[in-house]
Amino acid sequence: MARKVVFSGVQPSGGLTIGNYIGAIKNFVDLQDSYDCYYCIVDLHAITIPQVPKDLRKNTLEVLATYLASGLDPKKCTLFIQSHVEAHAELTWVLNSISYMGQLNRMTQYKEKSRKSEENLNAALFTYPVLMAADILMYQTEFVPVGDDQKQHLELARDLAERFNNRYSETFKVPEPLIQQFGARIMDLQNPGDKMSKSNQNENSYILMLDDPDTIRRKIRRAITDSIGEVIYTDDQPGIKNLMNIYNAFSGDSIDAIEDRYRGLGYGKFKDDVAEVIISGLKPIQERYIELMDNKDYLETVYRQGAEKAQFTAMKTLRKVYRKVGFIQK
Ligand code: TYM
C-alpha cells in the first residue's frame, strides 16, 4: 500500500534557531521512516522579505546541510529546493484565483510582517500563504509537521483544497497539521510572551542551531525567569516552562521527570543542565553540518535528485488542475 504523504518546508532566511529544530526539523526526522516525506527549502517564500542574492544562495545550501545533519536521509525522503519545481509557482496562480482577499487580510503573520515593513509591503507577502497551500496540496499531502505559528496557514490550505474540490470536482487531499504537544512554540528567552525568532534584534533572545557551547551557556544563563524559584510546568512561569520544553525536546525526559529531578534545587542548577542538554544534542549535528558544507558536490546531488522526484509528482497534480480549470492541453 502506498505510504501517506508528509510535506513541510523551512525558509532559507539565515540562521535556524532551536525553535525551528524543536518545532519542525526534529519531527521531520521522526516521520521519514513511516511516511512518504517531502521536505522543501522554500526560497520562493524567502524573497517576500528583501534578500541579498548571494546570501540567499548560501542560506539555501545551509538549510539543506542542516536537514541532512539533523538526520534526514535522501534515500528515505525527498529533499528539494522550491524554485527547482516550477509547478509550485504555477499552482499558486490558480489557487490565487479562488483565494479571498478578506481571508488573506486576516492572516496574523501577514498583519505582523506588514506592520514591520511598511516600506516594502509587496504583493508576495500578501499571497505568501497561497504559495504555502500550493506547496502542500501539490503532493496530495496528508500531514504537515509544523510549529504552532503555521496553524492559521494550514487552515487556509485546507479551505482552498475544499473550495477547489467543490468547484471543480475532487482533486486535492485536505491536509492535517501535525503540531506536537510540547515544543510547538519555543519562546523568546528574553521575553517568554513572544515566539523565539531569529529576526529579533537581541541575540540573547534566541539560540541558533550553530551557536557554540559558550554562547549557549551564556544565553541560557541570561534567560528571563521569575522569582518563584521552583522548576514547575505552569503558565504562571512562562520562562521556566519554555526552558522545560527545550530540555524535554533535547533529552527526551518527560516533563514530570524534569519536575521531579529539580524539585527544591532552584533555577541555577536547572539552567546549567538545560544548557548542557542543548550543547550535547546539537554537537553531532554541528559536526556533521561542517562536513556537509565542505562537500558541495554531495549537496548538489541531493537537491538535483530531490527536485527530479518532486517534479514528477508535482506535474501530475498540475496537469490535472490545468485540465479541470479549462486550460487546453499543450
Ligand atoms: P519558517 O521557516 O518560519 O519556520 C520553519 C518551521 O519552524 C517552525 N518554527 C517554530 N516552532 C516552534 N517554536 C518556534 N519558535 C518556531 N519558529 C519557527 C515553524 O512553525 C515551521 O514549521 N511558512 C513556513 C514555511 C513553509 C511551509 C510550507 C511549512 C512554506 N511552505 C509548507 C509547511 C508546509 C515558514 O515560514 O516557516
Side-chain angles (χ1 to χ4, degrees), residues 189-190 201-208 211-224 243 271-276 278-279:
L189 298 176
Q190 292 300 312
Q201 297 293 327
N202 179 355
E203 59 171 43
N204 284 323
S205 68
Y206 54 78
I207 292 177
L208 297 176
D211 274 348
D212 61 64
D214 283 340
T215 305
I216 295 174
R217 288 190 190 102
R218 194 188 68 235
K219 289 179 178 178
I220 292 292
R221 224 177 292 127
R222 291 191 184 166
I224 298 294
L243 294 181
K271 278 184 156 183
D272 288 349
D273 290 358
V274 173
E276 296 313 313
I278 301 173
I279 292 164

Side-chain angles (χ1 to χ4, degrees), residues 217-234:
R217 288 190 190 102
R218 194 188 68 235
K219 289 179 178 178
I220 292 292
R221 224 177 292 127
R222 291 191 184 166
I224 298 294
T225 47
D226 50 68
S227 55
I228 299 175
E230 300 245 22
V231 180
I232 296 176
Y233 196 79
T234 153

Side-chain angles (χ1 to χ4, degrees), residues 25 52 61 81 122 129 146 201 220 222 250 262-263 315:
I25 299 172
V52 177
L61 288 184
I81 299 170
N122 62 70
V146 279
Q201 297 293 327
I220 292 292
R222 291 191 184 166
F250 280 103
Y262 294 96
R263 185 159 297 128
M315 285 314 293

